[in-house]
């Protein structure tokens, strides 16, 4: 199946007085229509930055230094800002981690949603309002018609997150970038949002890039998962394959650190050390200072993604398709 989103050899840099920092380094992946791709990794791995680059919302002086981004076959990373503005909301919807960055405190929720609908869809104001009410109800806002005329400060944090999700869905986008969508929600509402994203993907063929720290959400929602470390993808494959049998030592460390149901009185495993700063990324494999399986080559040479039968893994252990 042809990809709806294609990201090829994407690099994002930040020029500084002490040199240029590379925040994303040669990122490549694709998402098919109706597919949910989970993106995981520690804070600072580059997950949210990848989403921002796709929708053209990099904070200056950050810029795309190399690579291409294509949406439904058309390149979008080199478009002028006005053309990108027309794509955002209509063809690409974004759900950000902090709902307060997406909502204007001076306007009612209803005004913000209906304006977005009227900007991107050919509907009447009445139809836009009816669609806004239906969306709020769909994401779990009680008394949706009455709450439509409330302001953001009149909602709790979890309620505001639900409003942002409705705002992202209102113009029926082809791609949704969901950044920590369920973080501020309780378990029952989290389940509703997961079910909603899965239904959008299956019924409307919407592609979803799901950025999260929650491996449980990934296991429940995604078909494939990409693991990021220090601005690079280190493993990508089917979600069941990666979660049940992680290949990259970093992925294995993430999986070992998840609490097990019924396991009491045991210490959680942890990955020694911390994610390197952008100005201190080591030579060779960026993970090698923390890796329990490192050997001499890891210190000197950086591995690209290596194809194995069921996934891609950026680790010298798999250079010949077998564990060293």
């Amino acid at each position: 199946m042809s990809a709806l989103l294609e990201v090829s050899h994407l690099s994002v840099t930040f020029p500084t007085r002490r040199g240029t920092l590379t925040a994303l380094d040669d990122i490549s992946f694709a998402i098919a229509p109706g597919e949910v791709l989970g993106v995981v990794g520690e804070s600072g791995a580059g997950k949210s930055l990848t989403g921002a680059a796709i929708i053209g919302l990099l904070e200056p002086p950050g810029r795309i230094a190399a690579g291409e981004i294509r949406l439904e076959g058309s390149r979008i990373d080199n478009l002028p800002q006005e053309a990108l503005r027309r794509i955002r909301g209509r063809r690409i919807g974004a759900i950000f981690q902090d709902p307060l960055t997406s909502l204007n405190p001076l306007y009612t929720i209803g005004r913000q949603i209906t304006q977005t609908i009227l900007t991107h869809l050919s509907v009447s104001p009445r139809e836009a309002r009816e669609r806004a009410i239906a969306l709020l109800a769909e994401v779990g806002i009680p008394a949706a018609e009455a709450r439509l005329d409330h302001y953001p400060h009149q909602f709790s944090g979890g309620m505001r997150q639900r409003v942002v999700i409705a705002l992202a869905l209102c113009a029926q986008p082809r791609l949704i970038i969901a950044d920590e969508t369920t973080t501020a929600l309780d378990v029952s509402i989290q389940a509703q949002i997961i079910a909603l994203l899965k239904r959008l993907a299956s019924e409307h063929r919407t592609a979803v890039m799901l950025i999260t720290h929650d491996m449980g959400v990934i296991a429940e929602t995604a078909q494939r998962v990409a693991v990021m470390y220090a601005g690079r993808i280190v493993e990508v494959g089917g979600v069941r394959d990666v979660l049940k049998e992680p290949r990259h030592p970093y992925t294995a460390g993430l999986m070992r650190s998840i609490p097990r149901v019924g396991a009491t009185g045991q210490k959680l495993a942890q990955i020694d050390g911390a994610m390197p700063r952008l100005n201190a990324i080591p030579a060779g494999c960026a993970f090698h200072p923390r890796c329990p399986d490192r050997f001499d080559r890891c210190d000197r040479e950086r591995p690209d993604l290596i194809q194995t039968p069921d996934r891609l893994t950026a680790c010298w252990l798999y250079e010949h398709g077998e564990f060293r």
Side-chain angles (χ1 to χ4, degrees), residues 154-291:
Q154 294 176 281
F155 291 79
S156 67
M159 287 285 198
R160 282 195 293 264
Q161 184 68 295
R162 284 177 253 179
V163 170
V164 169
I165 293 169
L167 189 62
L169 302 178
C170 66
Q172 301 172 330
R174 298 287 293 126
L175 168 69
I176 295 174
I177 297 175
D179 190 353
E180 298 288 357
T181 306
T182 59
T183 298
L185 305 179
D186 58 57
V187 175
S188 60
I189 299 302
Q190 184 180 97
Q192 291 180 27
I193 299 306
I194 289 172
L196 176 59
L197 290 175
K198 291 171 70 174
R199 182 162 56 81
L200 284 168
S202 62
E203 294 181 5
H204 300 282
R205 309 301 294 161
T206 304
V208 180
M209 178 179 172
L210 180 60
I211 300 167
T212 182
H213 291 91
D214 192 331
M215 303 300 282
V217 171
I218 291 293
E220 177 68 22
T221 314
Q223 286 84 49
R224 288 190 304 130
V225 58
V227 182
M228 293 191 68
Y229 185 82
R232 305 195 77 221
I233 292 177
V234 296
E235 186 167 1
V236 58
V239 66
R240 292 185 181 275
D241 295 330
V242 173
L243 298 188
K244 286 187 175 182
E245 190 181 352
R247 295 270 176 80
H248 196 282
Y250 177 62
T251 311
L254 290 179
M255 296 307 300
R256 284 194 298 268
S257 67
I258 298 174
R260 305 294 178 185
V261 176
T264 58
Q266 298 180 8
K267 286 187 176 181
L268 287 177
Q270 66 179 23
I271 305 174
D272 294 333
M275 183 81 65
R277 299 187 305 275
L278 291 182
N279 62 353
I281 294 179
C285 174
F287 185 62
H288 85 259
R290 309 172 68 187
C291 181

Side-chain angles (χ1 to χ4, degrees), residues 39-317:
V39 182
V40 299
E42 293 172 278
S43 296
K47 307 182 302 297
S48 296
L49 190 65
T50 302
I54 291 170
I55 57 179
L57 291 179
L58 287 175
E59 290 286 342
R63 67 183 187 89
I64 294 176
E68 295 184 358
I69 301 170
R70 293 183 178 272
L71 181 67
E72 296 181 300
S74 300
R75 189 172 177 181
I76 63 172
D77 60 282
N78 58 353
L79 294 177
Q81 282 301 313
E82 180 58 28
L84 274 174
R85 189 189 68 81
R86 290 194 296 270
I87 289 175
R88 287 194 295 264
R90 179 64 187 96
R91 297 173 65 193
I92 303 178
I95 307 170
F96 297 105
Q97 185 172 355
D98 182 3
L100 289 178
T101 63
S102 304
L103 299 173
N104 190 322
L106 302 179
Y107 296 146
T108 65
I109 295 301
R111 179 174 177 181
Q112 295 181 63
I113 296 177
T114 55
Q115 277 189 345
T116 303
I117 294 171
L118 292 170
T119 297
H120 295 292
L121 301 179
S122 298
V123 297
S124 68
R126 180 178 178 179
E127 290 172 326
R129 183 176 175 86
E130 290 174 352
R131 176 166 175 76
I133 293 170
L135 281 167
L136 289 183
E138 193 170 22
V139 297
I141 301 291
E145 186 170 2
R147 300 304 305 266
L148 197 67
D149 296 317
H150 290 182
Y151 289 85
H153 73 271
Q154 294 176 281
F155 291 79
S156 67
M159 287 285 198
R160 282 195 293 264
Q161 184 68 295
R162 284 177 253 179
V163 170
V164 169
I165 293 169
L167 189 62
L169 302 178
C170 66
Q172 301 172 330
R174 298 287 293 126
L175 168 69
I176 295 174
I177 297 175
D179 190 353
E180 298 288 357
T181 306
T182 59
T183 298
L185 305 179
D186 58 57
V187 175
S188 60
I189 299 302
Q190 184 180 97
Q192 291 180 27
I193 299 306
I194 289 172
L196 176 59
L197 290 175
K198 291 171 70 174
R199 182 162 56 81
L200 284 168
S202 62
E203 294 181 5
H204 300 282
R205 309 301 294 161
T206 304
V208 180
M209 178 179 172
L210 180 60
I211 300 167
T212 182
H213 291 91
D214 192 331
M215 303 300 282
V217 171
I218 291 293
E220 177 68 22
T221 314
Q223 286 84 49
R224 288 190 304 130
V225 58
V227 182
M228 293 191 68
Y229 185 82
R232 305 195 77 221
I233 292 177
V234 296
E235 186 167 1
V236 58
V239 66
R240 292 185 181 275
D241 295 330
V242 173
L243 298 188
K244 286 187 175 182
E245 190 181 352
R247 295 270 176 80
H248 196 282
Y250 177 62
T251 311
L254 290 179
M255 296 307 300
R256 284 194 298 268
S257 67
I258 298 174
R260 305 294 178 185
V261 176
T264 58
Q266 298 180 8
K267 286 187 176 181
L268 287 177
Q270 66 179 23
I271 305 174
D272 294 333
M275 183 81 65
R277 299 187 305 275
L278 291 182
N279 62 353
I281 294 179
C285 174
F287 185 62
H288 85 259
R290 309 172 68 187
C291 181
D293 300 316
R294 66 182 179 269
F295 54 100
D296 291 345
R297 190 175 185 182
C298 304
D299 302 347
R300 304 188 309 270
E301 299 178 47
R302 187 182 70 179
D304 293 323
L305 285 168
I306 297 168
Q307 180 70 62
T308 56
D310 60 350
R311 76 192 74 176
L312 293 165
T313 309
C315 182
W316 290 124
L317 295 171

